[in-house]
Amino acid sequence: MPETYDVIVIGGGAVGCMVARFLSRYRLSILLIEKEADIGMGASSANSAIIHAGYDPLPGTLKAKMNVAANLMWDTLAGELNIPFERRGDYVVAIGPKELPKLELLLEQGRRNGVPGMHIISAEEMRHREPNINPDVSGALWAPTGGICDPFAISIAAAENAVQNGVRILLETAFEDFIMDGKRIVGIKTNRGDFGCRWAVNAAGLYADVVMHKAGVRPEFKITPRRGEYCILDRAEITVNNVLFPVPSDISKGILVTATLHGNTIVGPNAQDIEDKEDRAVTYDGLGELWDGAHKLVPSLSPRHVIAVFAGLRASGNAPCETPGVDYNHDFIIEIPREVQGLVNLGGIESPGLTSAPAIALRVIELLKEAGEKLEEKPDWQPIRPPRPRFRDLPHEEQKRLIALDPRYGRIVCRCEMVTEGEIVAEIHAPIPARTYDAIKRRTWLGTGRCLGSFDMPRVVDILAQELGVSPLAITKKGPGSEFLVRPTKQVEG
Amino acid sequence: METTEKMICITCPKGCTLEVTHDGQTVLKVEGSGCKRGKDYVERELKDPRRMVASTVRVRGGTHPLLPVYTSAPFPKPRIQELLAELRKIEIKAPVKMGEVVLADALGEGIDILASRDMPRMTG
Amino acid sequence: MALKDKYDVVIIGSGPGGLAAAISAKKYGAEDVLIIERDVELGGILLQCIHNGFGVEIFKEDLPGPSYAQRFINEAMLLKVEALLDTMVLDITPQRRIFASSKINGFVDIQARAIVLAMGCRERTRAQVRLPGTRPAGVYTAGTAQRWVNVEGYMPGKRFVILGSGDIGMIMARRLTFEGAKVERVLEVMPYLTGLTRNYVQCLLDYDIPLQLQHTVKRILGHQRVEAIEAVRVNEKWEPIPGTEEIIPCDTLLLSVGLIPENELSKKAGVQLDALTGGPVVDNNFETSVPGIFAAGNVVHVYDLVDWVTEAGLAAGKSAARFALAERRREIRHIPLLAGHNVRYVVPHELDKQTLMEEEVRLQFRVKQPVEEPVWVEVHSENNLITRKSERYVRPGEMVTIVLTPRHYEEVERATSLTVSIVER
């Protein structure tokens, strides 16, 4: 008899973690499985870090509903989970006279979606608000409810809070198949054995199609990975203080130029449909495309200021919108399908997926209630995830106090981002332990500065080895197979 | 047998490319040299090429696991790999002082292997 | 070691530039000289540069990096230079206050009369050469690999490709070969070698390591660990030439693509930087645009020989010592004028005692609270009343003046501060 849970969430991205966190409010036994060595390593790890206002999705789509509903939730959620989040607002910038009429259309679309506070500002006003803007700007759409966030922190904080409230999380655990009893799902098979469940939530992101097909649901549904490449610029060289979108094309929001919470400017993404669900390679041509897009909005940006390049994959689906009269074929799937019992099916959660994740989680709860699940609230549910100290954000007096309390906060391991040994050790022993270099990087932003970790890397490998009680040879960048080191210098083979 | 080959003189930073004709160790002709030191270099390289060698040896109880070492004089080039294999076998004990002989008369070549730095004992 | 609140010269960094500056500052009369070093020992990057070739100009000897450093470390210790190890400077103000942080020394807050910036340089990274491809383990800067192999005792790979024919790249090619690794190729985007010819011969030719000029890495392959790189020939504009791609299997790509002066701290101190060198603008005394802040070595511009770094450090240390001593003399001559009972502030804030030898000095101030009856206005040193005068009343709206004259000089000369106060009669 395998271990049995009320709910198993398949996939530890932003959506899966939010579902687990919101479900942890009820008397349910919950397991979340993630195939990678850490949570939030798929689409949730490489994106524009924006909490969208909601004017972009077509009215009537699930994307529009979820986006606008979720946008309202972010102040409370960020407060409860201690996620860095700033509601800075965002702009869609029209360049030249031809693009100007499109702003009206977007404004109208936003109003129909229920986005509050939007209006069009003049070219002069835009130049005033963002001095780096292309002087040919003809006007801009201003959406005050747009925000920026720390995208890594979202999945991690939600997962930690879920663990605090009794959810079990298994990493490096890959879904293989469902265990069926007739038309009913009674469990799942994984590389780590079988687990029983009454409900399975498909939150598999790029692999959502594979998972639902195993249950015989929506055989026509297909996820096409759409790669988006990004560049991060050195904050010491140039700073753009706002979130700037170009006027969107039919397939994408276009290449944007945006501020991050760490003060770096980020440029991207382009959009490239590919086959391989793991191909996060940055391409030579793609980087060229980014610069054309970036220069359209901010001509003074230079490739010389780049400190990092990366690519993310959007889990782009082909599900038609179910609202009558809306002709759209890339909508979210959020459903309990009729074909099988015991499946909550989520699919095609691409942008604005990160923004929508908390609203999707609430929708999952509604669906379960509609399916007759008696969800009983736990009186001791703890919605607050306690914050951990961030040395660089503290004034000198508090830094002093922190070091006096725990001297490990006095040793700076990452000089660019000012991350201390104390913070690294705290993450290694956190509710979701950071056991790889990249896991520590996503939690502390260490190694993301201009030296890209060349200073901290040997030191972090050392700290990981010491805290985990293993040899430095066993320390990996992102799980098995990505070891940093191969042998002691003096042990030559053969 | 007479052969002609290209060599780069490293006597000074200029780095002249020399066209050298020689019969074994006997230099017959040197072309492309910017000065007369080129010929001396060629003769040395053909008869007895030598290099300074720097590497590390294992050290026990020191502040680091390895101690950097170097040859007290240029070492015969053909025996460098042999010397490195020898150094891999060595493990010394901290503390060590700069200039201390780690291996005397290495491979019987009359050249010592010296510590490049102090290596204090690990405390605490 | 008991840390003082104030130092004559504080040096940030203990590489060749910092060590030379400390030694020279001591020799030119600075009493309290402190080095702040982020690593656990003095010496900087020289400690991992175990190869020979250092000191040819200064010592007329061919030394390995650690020996070159050790000679200066020994001299600095002999001269009683103080050192804070394992300590990272967080912030420097233009007024030369230094904040630093350390696991062993705690939070450090000190005032320097003069500062020498000697943070050296850092390596360019993958992003700065914009290498496309995946992001697996196995892409390291040559310096990071050097630290692992030579200091920490671990090999970061078995089969290497090195991008960049700078000296560190070529020296690492030999070093890795010495330790049993295979170096498949050194690629250089320029049509010429960027390091010294001597290193090309001794590091690459000697061990049959192929060098390809006008080549770069087009992409990195491998998900978890590097599995191969795609090399490509480039034209004069560094653009890949289609059809010249070659997949080279390897598990590690080392980057030796240049060095950049490390000036995060200089910026915080308000030091003006030169966009071309990436380092501070300095005068012939190595003084930056901020008075009393000096800079020496690779933090100013990247040198080819360590000997020149040492010379720059010696010069900067001497200038810093001179500045600090002048500062000390000024501090002894200048004493603060403090606001005492019922006094809001006093102008001037400081008194140059010398002035009193020749002329009188007018002290002006405002009171905090009105007193509508006669009071004394008094000037005290730490121990004595120096002068006083009577006022019929004092009010915050009306400025009060009291004068020090040359006849007060002798008393003032012994004082380290003066306090002005209102005393009720």
Side-chain angles (χ1 to χ4, degrees):
Chain A
M1 191 56 197
E3 268 174 53
T4 295
Y5 295 85
D6 292 321
V7 182
I8 295 180
V9 180
I10 302 162
V15 172
C17 293
M18 279 297 170
V19 168
R21 186 264 177 178
F22 278 88
L23 277 179
S24 73
R25 174 175 207 142
Y26 304 100
R27 282 192 205 284
L28 295 168
S29 58
I30 303 167
L31 170 72
L32 182 148
I33 62 163
E34 165 56 50
K35 68 178 168 48
E36 301 294 337
D38 193 12
I39 51 167
M41 278 179 79
S44 313
S45 74
N47 52 68
S48 312
I50 288 172
I51 299 303
H52 292 284
Y55 52 79
D56 195 64
L58 209 59
T61 58
L62 266 177
K63 279 185 177 175
K65 277 180 219 160
M66 290 298 126
N67 185 342
V68 175
N71 181 285
L72 295 174
M73 298 170 70
W74 272 97
D75 301 281
T76 309
L77 189 62
E80 286 178 343
L81 296 182
N82 277 295
I83 303 169
F85 167 66
E86 278 179 32
R87 221 179 255 289
R88 285 200 195 178
D90 65 49
Y91 299 89
V92 181
V93 182
I95 305 295
K98 275 190 193 154
E99 291 190 346
L100 202 50
K102 290 204 180 167
L103 298 184
E104 293 287 350
L105 294 176
L106 270 179
L107 175 63
E108 179 51 29
Q109 182 161 297
R111 284 184 176 150
R112 283 178 63 197
N113 286 346
V115 179
M118 296 172 68
H119 59 268
I120 290 172
I121 63 168
S122 69
E124 198 187 339
E125 178 65 19
M126 189 67 234
R127 280 191 286 263
H128 174 70
R129 293 198 196 178
E130 180 54 65
N132 293 309
I133 201 78
N134 185 341
D136 295 335
V137 57
S138 54
L141 175 65
W142 161 240
T145 53
I148 53 177
C149 65
D150 175 341
F152 307 139
I154 290 175
S155 311
I156 292 161
E160 268 190 15
N161 189 228
V163 170
Q164 262 175 279
N165 287 296
V167 172
R168 183 164 182 229
I169 294 187
L170 284 178
L171 300 175
E172 292 176 39
T173 304
F175 169 87
E176 287 170 354
D177 205 348
F178 289 108
I179 304 168
M180 309 292 292
D181 178 4
K183 285 271 173 199
R184 205 159 63 85
I185 291 172
V186 293
I188 61 166
K189 291 178 187 294
T190 77
N191 61 332
R192 296 227 192 165
D194 298 351
F195 298 95
C197 65
R198 295 194 298 115
W199 288 99
V201 179
N202 175 11
L206 284 160
Y207 293 88
D209 51 352
V210 178
V211 170
M212 69 180 83
H213 294 166
K214 293 274 190 194
V217 171
R218 291 189 185 245
E220 75 295 343
F221 181 73
K222 182 179 187 318
I223 299 261
T224 306
R226 183 175 292 161
R227 185 165 56 196
E229 294 162 90
Y230 291 91
C231 289
I232 301 177
L233 310 187
D234 192 342
R235 62 174 170 251
E237 301 289 345
I238 183 152
T239 319
V240 172
N241 286 313
N242 295 293
V243 178
L244 308 172
F245 289 95
V247 167
S249 71
D250 292 339
I251 57 154
S252 146
K253 295 188 192 69
I255 291 164
L256 54 134
V257 176
T258 166
T260 67
L261 289 175
H262 293 80
N264 300 99
T265 300
I266 174 169
V267 171
N270 53 4
Q272 194 182 4
D273 287 343
I274 58 168
E275 282 305 312
D276 184 350
K277 292 185 178 189
E278 298 295 331
D279 185 2
R280 292 181 178 83
V282 176
T283 63
Y284 195 85
D285 297 338
L287 292 177
E289 196 185 331
L290 288 194
W291 287 104
D292 293 342
H295 285 150
K296 186 183 166 201
L297 292 175
V298 181
S300 59
L301 292 177
S302 161
R304 282 189 303 118
H305 301 151
V306 172
I307 54 168
V309 293
F310 65 91
L313 297 177
R314 310 173 185 86
S316 185
N318 60 350
C321 173
E322 284 173 9
T323 308
V326 180
D327 181 21
Y328 184 69
N329 288 312
H330 303 286
D331 209 358
F332 290 165
I333 297 171
I334 309 171
E335 65 179 5
I336 293 183
R338 297 224 176 98
E339 298 92 315
V340 289
Q341 282 177 307
L343 178 68
V344 178
N345 194 29
L346 309 176
I349 315 290
E350 58 177 331
S351 179
L354 190 69
T355 307
S356 303
I360 293 171
L362 289 188
R363 180 70 192 129
V364 167
I365 290 169
E366 269 175 44
L367 287 173
L368 288 173
K369 284 181 177 167
E370 285 166 17
E373 193 60 38
K374 283 196 193 65
L375 298 179
E376 195 187 324
E377 287 191 21
K378 291 191 282 202
D380 57 346
W381 184 60
Q382 175 52 266
I384 310 286
R385 169 203 174 242
R388 291 192 279 277
R390 288 284 169 255
F391 186 81
R392 69 168 161 264
D393 297 336
L394 301 176
H396 284 158
E397 275 313 304
E398 285 180 46
Q399 290 179 338
K400 198 172 182 170
R401 215 169 303 139
L402 186 60
I403 298 169
L405 224 59
D406 182 345
R408 291 175 298 185
Y409 284 94
R411 179 179 280 159
I412 313 277
V413 175
C414 168
R415 63 185 164 178
C416 304
E417 301 301 312
M418 288 284 170
V419 180
T420 63
E421 183 179 329
E423 287 159 271
I424 296 168
V425 171
E427 294 303 338
I428 295 172
H429 302 295
I432 313 275
R435 294 169 173 275
T436 66
Y437 179 87
D438 281 359
I440 289 172
K441 177 172 167 178
R442 280 192 294 275
R443 285 157 176 81
T444 62
W445 288 79
L446 144 162
T448 61
R450 56 199 321 197
C451 90
L452 283 189
S454 47
F455 177 75
D456 67 61
M457 215 179 269
R459 291 162 174 85
V460 175
V461 168
D462 237 33
I463 295 171
L464 271 167
Q466 216 155 65
E467 293 296 320
L468 298 176
V470 297
S471 153
L473 294 170
I475 302 305
T476 69
K477 183 173 190 291
K478 49 180 171 180
S482 66
E483 286 76 13
F484 283 96
L485 304 168
V486 299
R487 63 168 166 87
T489 303
K490 293 292 157 185
Q491 275 175 29
V492 179
E493 295 142 45
Chain B
M1 201 190 70
E2 195 176 305
T3 47
T4 300
E5 63 176 307
K6 285 204 162 104
M7 287 174 74
I8 298 171
C9 174
I10 54 170
T11 311
C12 82
K14 194 174 172 197
C16 296
T17 300
L18 312 176
E19 200 163 284
V20 179
T21 309
H22 61 98
D23 186 352
Q25 294 182 355
T26 314
V27 180
L28 302 172
K29 196 169 75 178
V30 176
E31 279 180 353
S33 177
C35 70
K36 63 184 170 65
R37 287 183 296 176
K39 192 163 181 242
D40 298 342
Y41 173 76
V42 169
E43 285 189 342
R44 244 185 357 260
E45 275 294 283
L46 289 176
K47 285 203 179 86
D48 180 21
R50 285 172 179 256
R51 299 284 184 265
M52 288 296 283
V53 178
S55 186
T56 49
V57 297
R58 282 175 294 147
V59 56
R60 208 175 337 151
T63 48
H64 296 291
L66 298 178
L67 172 75
V69 296
Y70 69 115
T71 49
S72 58
F75 198 82
K77 193 178 145 193
R79 299 194 75 187
I80 289 178
Q81 285 302 340
E82 220 181 312
L83 171 66
L84 292 167
E86 197 64 25
L87 293 181
R88 266 180 220 124
K89 294 181 200 153
I90 296 176
E91 182 177 51
I92 59 164
K93 265 172 77 178
V96 183
K97 280 282 174 202
M98 172 169 67
E100 233 176 84
V101 176
V102 169
L103 176 66
D105 188 18
L107 305 182
E109 291 284 350
I111 291 166
D112 293 339
I113 306 300
L114 310 176
S116 302
R117 54 167 287 180
D118 294 355
M119 183 63 66
R121 204 172 311 171
M122 172 83 98
T123 50
Chain C
M1 182 193 87
L3 198 62
K4 302 176 182 75
D5 293 337
K6 203 161 192 180
Y7 281 85
D8 287 331
V9 181
V10 176
I11 294 120
I12 322 287
S14 74
L19 286 169
I23 289 164
S24 155
K26 270 282 187 188
K27 286 185 174 167
Y28 282 92
E31 281 174 37
D32 303 318
V33 176
L34 174 74
I35 296 180
I36 304 181
E37 166 58 44
R38 69 183 183 204
D39 220 319
V40 295
E41 57 189 351
L42 296 175
I45 299 300
L46 279 173
L47 298 181
Q48 66 186 52
C49 299
I50 65 163
H51 52 279
N52 282 80
F54 298 92
V56 179
E57 297 293 328
I58 285 194
F59 297 117
K60 309 291 172 208
E61 278 182 67
D62 182 4
L63 298 172
S67 300
Y68 187 90
Q70 187 83 60
R71 291 193 179 193
F72 289 97
I73 294 168
N74 292 350
E75 189 174 357
M77 293 300 102
L78 220 61
L79 289 168
K80 305 245 182 298
V81 169
E82 294 175 35
L84 271 183
L85 299 176
D86 202 357
T87 303
M88 183 83 85
V89 175
L90 304 173
D91 219 340
I92 300 174
T93 71
Q95 294 75 35
R96 302 185 298 280
R97 193 165 163 194
I98 298 169
F99 299 97
S101 151
S102 166
K103 186 172 172 177
I104 49 172
N105 302 307
F107 192 89
V108 176
D109 174 357
I110 44 178
Q111 178 68 45
R113 295 190 173 93
I115 292 175
V116 181
L117 305 172
M119 291 88 74
C121 54
R122 68 189 158 82
E123 298 178 276
R124 273 180 204 279
T125 63
R126 148 170 202 186
Q128 278 130 5
V129 289
R130 293 189 290 287
L131 281 185
T134 51
R135 300 199 295 164
V139 182
Y140 310 120
T141 61
T144 301
Q146 192 178 44
R147 183 181 168 100
W148 264 323
V149 175
N150 293 346
V151 181
E152 309 211 352
Y154 291 101
M155 293 292 280
K158 292 175 182 163
R159 294 176 77 179
F160 291 76
V161 169
I162 299 176
L163 177 61
S165 67
D167 290 316
I168 314 172
M170 293 196 285
I171 283 163
M172 276 311 288
R174 174 179 60 187
R175 193 62 207 118
L176 292 163
T177 309
F178 275 9
E179 297 299 353
K182 175 96 177 92
V183 178
E184 301 287 346
R185 203 80 58 90
V186 176
L187 305 171
E188 171 57 56
V189 73
M190 306 301 281
Y192 49 84
L193 196 72
T194 59
L196 303 171
T197 313
R198 178 178 78 189
N199 284 330
Y200 171 59
V201 174
Q202 296 187 358
C203 299
L204 303 188
L205 279 188
D206 275 3
Y207 303 96
D208 299 321
I209 299 167
L211 166 74
Q212 282 182 305
L213 299 175
Q214 281 189 290
H215 275 71
T216 191
V217 174
K218 191 180 175 190
R219 111 191 126 99
I220 297 166
L221 292 93
H223 283 302
Q224 293 299 96
R225 176 84 198 193
V226 174
E227 286 161 21
I229 60 106
E230 188 174 69
V232 68
R233 200 178 157 78
V234 296
N235 62 23
E236 301 72 38
K237 291 184 213 151
W238 300 1
E239 292 159 346
I241 300 170
T244 63
E245 294 87 355
E246 179 195 358
I247 302 279
I248 307 176
C250 59
D251 63 10
T252 313
L253 172 65
L254 284 198
L255 304 176
S256 173
V257 288
L259 302 168
I260 317 169
E262 172 93 322
N263 278 287
E264 306 287 286
L265 282 174
S266 319
K267 281 183 202 163
K268 288 185 176 175
V271 164
Q272 188 196 339
L273 299 183
D274 174 1
L276 217 58
T277 59
V281 174
V282 291
D283 68 7
N284 57 312
N285 296 316
F286 290 99
E287 188 165 12
T288 68
S289 62
V290 178
I293 300 187
F294 301 79
N298 286 341
V299 76
V300 176
H301 68 145
V302 176
Y303 286 81
D304 56 349
L305 288 184
V306 71
D307 308 68
W308 309 137
V309 171
T310 297
E311 292 205 336
L314 292 172
K318 173 179 168 183
S319 315
R322 286 191 170 159
F323 187 96
L325 294 179
E327 190 71 359
R328 241 181 210 262
R329 280 193 294 277
R330 204 187 65 81
E331 282 164 26
I332 298 165
R333 270 173 51 179
H334 284 67
I335 53 171
L337 287 163
L338 306 173
H341 176 69
N342 198 16
V343 173
R344 208 142 69 85
Y345 65 80
V346 184
V347 171
H349 300 84
E350 284 187 340
L351 172 68
D352 181 345
K353 294 189 273 193
Q354 286 326 89
T355 321
L356 265 190
M357 286 178 78
E358 289 138 27
E359 53 192 272
E360 55 180 47
V361 175
R362 190 188 300 262
L363 311 183
Q364 294 183 306
F365 64 94
R366 283 179 197 273
V367 296
K368 291 182 189 160
Q369 300 294 331
V371 184
E372 298 295 340
E373 54 190 61
V375 294
W376 288 118
V377 177
E378 297 186 346
V379 179
H380 286 264
S381 68
E382 288 81 353
N383 307 313
N384 302 316
L385 175 66
I386 288 175
T387 181
R388 74 174 174 184
K389 75 173 209 181
S390 174
E391 289 280 351
R392 282 185 294 125
Y393 61 86
V394 285
R395 292 169 190 158
E398 293 172 31
M399 189 129 69
V400 187
T401 301
I402 184 165
V403 178
L404 293 175
T405 68
R407 107 189 117 80
H408 298 127
Y409 176 73
E410 239 170 78
E411 285 280 3
V412 170
E413 170 57 38
R414 286 195 293 272
T416 54
S417 71
L418 296 181
T419 305
V420 180
S421 22
I422 301 296
V423 181
E424 270 126 72
R425 298 175 73 157

